[in-house]
């Protein structure tokens, strides 16, 4: 591999950039979250390539680096929200609670980065703004916000699915005299709500986690709800010594389980059908699942995501719980007025969310009935009232999946921009590569299971597939890999078919469909056919010498 220069570290690259030279590496990785860290380790330490990570933040963590909002916690159980590639790492790390809280995930990812000596090849505070492919040189020219340029043979985006904040365009926001924050861009030194009148817009997974914590210290919290949402109690607890011991003895088995379940979680979906069960049995099973808590609730029956009548039984049970918990019937009615099937939107899990509406200092505004019209210096104005506020919290989600990629000016062969290629919605082969963009890999890109899977499982599979692919290329002296438009078209059909077999597309404002962002094409983005099936398809493609891709020397 003659084009390789001696492996520089991040410091060398920085000084190269300062001196005006263009630094060159084998592989550039954008983002230092779960994906970017593991990708760096694989390419640098397993394949011996010169690889660098460019990261906009000042530390590792990706999504978790930015999402420091009150109550931020993962909804995958901690022992499954881990890398499984290293037995030593599994041996030495110990989670403290059933679900890891944001600071603990940050400690974990820093531990991983330090343990594998990754930080020396990560350039923090470096936001990538452009990536242009040079056909003649077969190199990507990558530009940063600071005006630096780097070239690379392989470009791997590890930008996360939920990293571009969606701040709704509400007139008058710039006139607001108080402070406002988006949960995905939370200040590192926190926000003091003590004695403040807080308005929170948004009741997705984030808003449902944040509201109970904000309400504890705020003088008053007003939650502005546009779409009512289901939520199941997380039932977070400290992990017992017995469970920790069980984990240490069972990693191989847990890994095997996560690799064989549809969603990459360490629990399967029951074979039972809701509609084959008597109402009494169903009620008992739902009660038991409610007590267990967490994402496992949706695994109670096989048909919940496929059959509307089956789904209605879960939806009715959960609406009933809201009415049971929330004491004020008018508030309960607004919270329970849910317009979509259970789990067709990402199902939130919570700690005391509905209970929070029983507090004297919390009120709910139905902004579907009385829409937000504008923001004034004093607060939020809806069609029937003005709410005076000191702080507005936007828990309004993300320009998911495509946003982080399209925020970078990516241009492939013949200057084709990713924005143009995806004008009608994202199209890729296996969520791994886009036609017209050679040697560019998208970790958990649109078209892969990604957000419908326990993320670390999806990430490890993608990173390992990409690593094997690059290794294969090096062994066979292949210089370029690019998927074909036909393979991408066929895969897009497969993604649609998989989604249409479920209730997932039956939601008005789902971010899975891009429908939460005005003007975004309505295309179902993640692959809903299940991680197990997807893993097999990817392995099969590789075994057939990368069928669907053109490999050139
Ligand atoms: O974002 P969302 P999120 N006026 O898009 C409302 C992951 N996650 O940050 O439904 C008024 O789900 C919007 O209303 P509507 C997880 O995958 C994981 O909560 O569009 N309201 C909705 O209520 C999750 O799914 C974890 O009508 C407006 C809310 O804002 C994903 O991140 C924790 C509005 C946005 O909900 C995104 O969750 C947190 C407007 N103009 C997040 N615009 C865990 O692991 C938007 N909304 C636990």
């Amino acid at each position: 591999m003659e084009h390789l220069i001696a492996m520089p570290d991040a410091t060398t690259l920085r000084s190269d950039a300062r001196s005006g030279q263009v630094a060159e590496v084998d592989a550039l990785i954008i983002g230092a979250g779960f994906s970017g860290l593991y990708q760096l380790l694989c390419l640098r330490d397993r394949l011996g390539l010169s690889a660098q990570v460019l990261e906009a933040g000042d530390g590792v963590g990706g999504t978790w680096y930015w999402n420091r909002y009150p109550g931020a916690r993962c909804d995958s159980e901690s022992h499954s929200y881990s890398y499984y590639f290293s037995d030593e790492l599994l041996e030495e790390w110990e989670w403290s609670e059933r679900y890891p809280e944001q600071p603990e995930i940050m400690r974990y990812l820093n531990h991983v980065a330090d343990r594998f000596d990754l930080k020396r090849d990560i350039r923090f505070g470096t936001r990538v703004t452009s990536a242009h492919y040079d056909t003649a040189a077969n190199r990507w020219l990558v530009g940063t916000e600071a005006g630096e340029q780097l070239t690379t043979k392989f470009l791997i985006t590890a930008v996360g699915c939920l990293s571009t904040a969606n701040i709704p365009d509400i007139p008058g926001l710039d006139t607001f005299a108080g402070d406002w924050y988006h949960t995905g861009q939370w200040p590192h030194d926190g926000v003091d709500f003590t004695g403040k009148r807080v308005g929170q817009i948004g009741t997705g997974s984030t808003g449902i986690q944040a509201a109970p914590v904000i309400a504890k210290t705020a003088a008053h919290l007003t939650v502005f709800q546009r779409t009512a949402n289901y939520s199941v109690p997380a039932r977070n607890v400290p992990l017992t010594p017995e469970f920790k011991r069980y984990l240490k003895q069972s990693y191989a088995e847990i890994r095997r389980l996560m690799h064989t379940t549809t969603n990459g979680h360490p629990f399967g979906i029951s074979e039972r059908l809701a509609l084959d069960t008597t109402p009494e049995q169903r009620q008992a099973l739902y009660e038991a699942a409610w007590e267990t808590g967490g994402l496992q609730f949706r695994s109670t029956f096989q048909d919940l995501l496929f059959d509307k009548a089956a789904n209605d039984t879960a939806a009715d049970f959960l609406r009933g719980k809201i009415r049971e918990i929330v004491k004020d019937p008018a508030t309960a009615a607004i919270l329970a007025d849910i317009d979509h099937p259970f789990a067709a939107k990402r199902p939130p899990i919570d700690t005391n969310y509905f209970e929070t509406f029983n507090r004297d200092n919390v009120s709910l505004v139905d902004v579907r009935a009385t829409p937000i019209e504008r923001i004034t210096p004093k607060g939020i104005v809806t069609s029937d009232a003005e709410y005076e506020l000191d702080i507005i919290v936007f828990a309004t989600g993300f320009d998911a999946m495509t946003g982080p990629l399209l925020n970078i000016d990516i241009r492939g062969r013949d200057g084709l921009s990713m924005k143009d290629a995806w004008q009608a919605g994202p199209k890729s082969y296996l969520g791994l590569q886009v036609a017209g963009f050679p040697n560019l890999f998208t970790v958990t890109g649109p078209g892969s299971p990604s957000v419908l899977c326990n993320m670390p499982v999806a990430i490890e599979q993608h990173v390992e597939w990409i690593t094997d692919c690059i290794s294969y290329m090096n062994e066979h002296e292949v210089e370029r890999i690019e998927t074909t438009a036909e393979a991408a078209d066929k895969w897009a059909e497969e993604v649609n078919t998989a989604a249409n077999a479920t209730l997932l597309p039956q939601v008005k404002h789902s971010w899975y469909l891009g429908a939460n962002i005005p003007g975004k094409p309505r295309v179902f983005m993640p692959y809903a056919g299940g991680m197990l099936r997807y893993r097999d398809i990817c392995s099969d493609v590789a075994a057939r010498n990368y069928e669907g891709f053109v490999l050139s020397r």
Side-chain angles (χ1 to χ4, degrees):
M1 301 181 71
E2 283 165 20
H3 68 275
L4 294 189
I5 55 170
M7 291 208 267
D9 66 14
T11 335
T12 328
L13 274 173
R14 194 163 287 125
S15 59
D16 284 350
R18 267 203 216 107
S19 69
Q21 289 170 10
V22 177
E24 169 155 351
V25 284
D26 293 333
L28 277 178
I29 299 155
I30 310 176
F34 261 94
S35 314
L37 292 179
Y38 186 36
Q39 190 68 76
L40 173 62
L41 185 151
C42 285
L43 295 181
R44 187 192 70 182
D45 298 350
R46 294 192 191 154
L47 299 193
L49 303 187
S50 59
Q52 299 286 329
V53 175
L54 306 179
E55 165 56 56
D58 288 326
V60 301
T63 284
W64 297 104
Y65 176 89
W66 303 103
N67 280 269
R68 295 167 187 252
Y69 61 86
R73 192 183 284 280
C74 185
D75 55 10
S76 289
E77 300 201 19
S78 52
H79 67 284
S80 66
Y81 202 72
S82 302
Y83 291 112
Y84 268 71
F85 65 80
S86 159
D87 287 343
E88 294 77 19
L89 179 61
L90 286 162
E91 272 305 316
E92 69 202 17
W93 184 261
E94 200 168 276
W95 294 105
S96 65
E97 295 179 284
R98 179 173 175 190
Y99 306 92
E101 210 181 1
Q102 182 270 347
E104 193 168 20
I105 300 173
M106 287 295 285
R107 283 198 294 282
Y108 173 69
L109 290 174
N110 273 287
H111 169 75
V112 172
D114 292 335
R115 187 190 192 287
F116 295 101
D117 194 18
L118 298 175
K119 288 182 183 165
R120 71 183 153 94
D121 287 310
I122 304 174
R123 295 182 56 188
F124 294 108
T126 304
R127 184 176 290 281
V128 173
T129 51
S130 64
H132 295 174
Y133 178 69
D134 176 341
T135 307
N138 189 32
R139 290 287 178 281
W140 283 92
L141 185 62
V142 174
T144 72
E145 201 168 47
E148 295 159 82
Q149 294 205 313
L150 301 95
T151 71
T152 182
K153 180 170 169 183
F154 296 107
L155 179 62
I156 296 131
T157 61
V159 289
C161 299
L162 297 158
S163 50
T164 303
N166 167 38
I167 300 166
D169 189 14
I170 302 175
L173 176 57
D174 54 342
T175 69
F176 181 54
D179 297 318
W180 65 267
Y181 308 94
H182 186 281
T183 48
Q185 298 172 342
W186 203 255
H188 284 205
D189 38 9
V191 175
D192 185 4
F193 294 104
T194 316
K196 305 280 189 193
R197 296 162 304 173
V198 183
Q200 177 187 301
I201 304 178
T203 52
S205 303
T206 302
I208 281 176
Q209 285 186 328
V213 184
I214 296 174
K216 279 186 192 163
T217 54
H220 194 88
L221 171 65
T222 308
V223 176
F224 295 85
Q225 172 192 283
R226 185 165 70 184
T227 304
N229 216 341
Y230 304 95
S231 187
V232 172
R235 308 232 184 265
N236 185 44
V237 283
L239 294 180
T240 60
E242 298 74 51
F243 191 71
K244 288 180 184 172
R245 244 192 327 275
Y246 153 77
L247 290 178
K248 296 285 176 213
Q249 291 158 2
S250 318
Y251 283 123
E253 174 56 17
I254 296 168
R255 183 193 287 118
R256 193 200 57 75
L257 196 57
M258 293 196 304
H259 284 191
T260 49
T261 55
T262 309
N263 299 321
H265 286 288
F267 53 84
I269 296 172
S270 166
E271 300 277 303
R272 271 184 313 253
L273 299 180
L275 298 182
D276 281 358
T277 316
T278 66
E280 295 72 31
Q281 286 168 331
R282 252 193 330 252
Q283 184 70 14
L285 289 163
Y286 282 140
E287 283 292 353
W290 176 265
E291 282 314 311
T292 303
L295 293 177
Q296 291 185 48
F297 187 90
R298 73 179 162 182
S299 308
T300 313
F301 294 107
Q302 183 66 232
D303 46 352
L304 290 187
L305 266 189
F306 299 94
D307 183 332
K308 177 68 169 48
N311 192 286
D312 284 346
T313 66
D316 288 346
F317 175 86
L318 293 170
R319 289 193 190 100
K321 285 290 177 194
I322 299 172
R323 287 189 286 263
E324 238 173 79
I325 296 169
V326 179
K327 292 190 182 129
D328 172 42
T331 303
I334 298 169
L335 288 167
D337 184 16
I338 307 173
D339 65 356
H340 52 276
F342 166 64
K345 270 185 163 190
R346 176 64 135 55
I349 65 174
D350 71 275
T351 302
N352 296 329
Y353 176 63
F354 295 116
E355 290 82 349
T356 295
F357 293 93
N358 293 333
R359 295 177 67 111
D360 292 338
N361 69 334
V362 175
S363 48
L364 179 68
V365 176
D366 178 358
V367 298
R368 175 148 299 167
T370 57
I372 295 175
E373 291 188 339
R374 61 187 189 280
I375 293 174
T376 66
K378 285 198 210 154
I380 293 179
V381 177
T382 66
S383 60
D384 78 343
E386 177 162 20
Y387 297 86
E388 293 196 7
L389 302 167
D390 303 306
I391 296 176
I392 300 175
V393 173
F394 287 92
T396 43
F398 303 90
D399 180 356
M401 306 201 74
T402 53
L405 291 167
L406 296 181
N407 271 350
I408 302 170
D409 174 23
I410 302 178
R411 288 169 196 264
R413 255 189 310 108
D414 309 319
L416 173 69
S417 78
M418 188 80 92
K419 274 196 183 74
D420 287 342
W422 283 1
Q423 207 166 25
K427 201 178 265 188
S428 77
Y429 186 38
L430 301 170
L432 277 161
Q433 261 216 339
V434 183
F437 299 82
N439 290 356
L440 169 68
F441 296 97
T442 50
V443 181
T444 64
S448 72
S450 61
V451 292
L452 297 179
C453 182
N454 177 26
M455 280 308 286
V457 172
I459 286 167
E460 283 194 338
Q461 184 267 342
H462 255 201
V463 165
E464 286 165 9
W465 192 94
I466 293 166
T467 307
D468 290 348
C469 175
I470 292 177
S471 169
Y472 175 95
M473 289 174 72
N474 288 345
E475 266 171 44
H476 294 80
E477 295 177 0
V478 169
E479 287 293 315
R480 235 176 65 144
I481 181 164
E482 183 188 337
T483 188
T484 63
E486 296 70 40
D489 283 346
K490 236 172 116 187
W491 184 249
E493 275 172 36
E494 172 81 23
V495 171
N496 263 331
T497 307
N500 289 334
T502 71
L503 303 174
L504 291 168
Q506 295 186 15
V507 183
K508 197 165 162 214
H509 280 122
S510 164
W511 59 260
Y512 293 156
L513 280 159
N516 61 329
I517 303 294
K520 190 165 169 171
R522 199 179 161 95
V523 169
F524 194 86
M525 294 184 286
Y527 174 62
M531 191 62 207
L532 180 57
R533 180 171 150 70
Y534 176 80
R535 187 186 290 277
D536 286 347
I537 294 171
C538 290
S539 302
D540 195 47
V541 163
R544 291 166 186 266
N545 298 326
Y546 297 93
E547 199 174 55
F549 294 90
V550 175
L551 283 72
S552 29
R553 283 170 192 255

